[in-house]
Amino acid sequence: MGWRELCKKAPGNTLVAWQVMRTDPAPVPPTQRHHRLKGDLATGTRSGKALPQWQIEVTGGGRLWYLFDEDERTCWLVLARTGHPRQTN
């Protein structure tokens, strides 16, 4: 993961993304910068439980991906990158 690098590159945006992830992890409606991933990336697994996988666009290329367990109200950070993840290209 690149959490530290993302914090260094865009500290303000990363803080806002962290706060949004904690207060509104599954926005309705989703936005262009905060939405559930699609296709094979739409779901991830944590402790044997399938969970929806979300993305927050922190910068033009920087991303946070996390799994959201609605029952537990818990987010599990999966990816933090300063560059765009190639999986979504």
Side-chain angles (χ1 to χ4, degrees), residues 16-34:
V16 169
W18 176 257
Q19 292 167 337
V20 167
M21 188 171 56
R22 293 179 48 93
T23 60
D24 191 16
V28 177
T31 70
Q32 285 186 321
R33 294 184 68 109
H34 188 188

Side-chain angles (χ1 to χ4, degrees), residues 16-84:
V16 169
W18 176 257
Q19 292 167 337
V20 167
M21 188 171 56
R22 293 179 48 93
T23 60
D24 191 16
V28 177
T31 70
Q32 285 186 321
R33 294 184 68 109
H34 188 188
H35 56 85
R36 187 164 176 193
L37 291 168
K38 297 177 183 171
D40 293 340
L41 298 172
T43 304
T45 304
R46 174 78 182 183
S47 299
K49 186 176 182 181
L51 299 170
Q53 185 162 240
W54 288 78
Q55 171 177 272
I56 298 175
E57 181 181 330
V58 179
T59 66
R63 302 289 191 271
L64 292 177
W65 288 3
Y66 61 93
L67 302 175
F68 177 49
D69 187 333
E70 189 170 359
D71 295 336
E72 300 293 327
R73 297 291 301 164
T74 301
C75 292
W76 299 99
L77 192 60
V78 173
L79 175 137
R81 296 216 22 199
T82 58
H84 191 284

Side-chain angles (χ1 to χ4, degrees), residues 5-16 58-59 82:
E5 291 79 16
L6 195 56
C7 287
K8 286 178 189 176
K9 183 174 183 177
N13 287 1
T14 305
L15 176 59
V16 169
V58 179
T59 66
T82 58

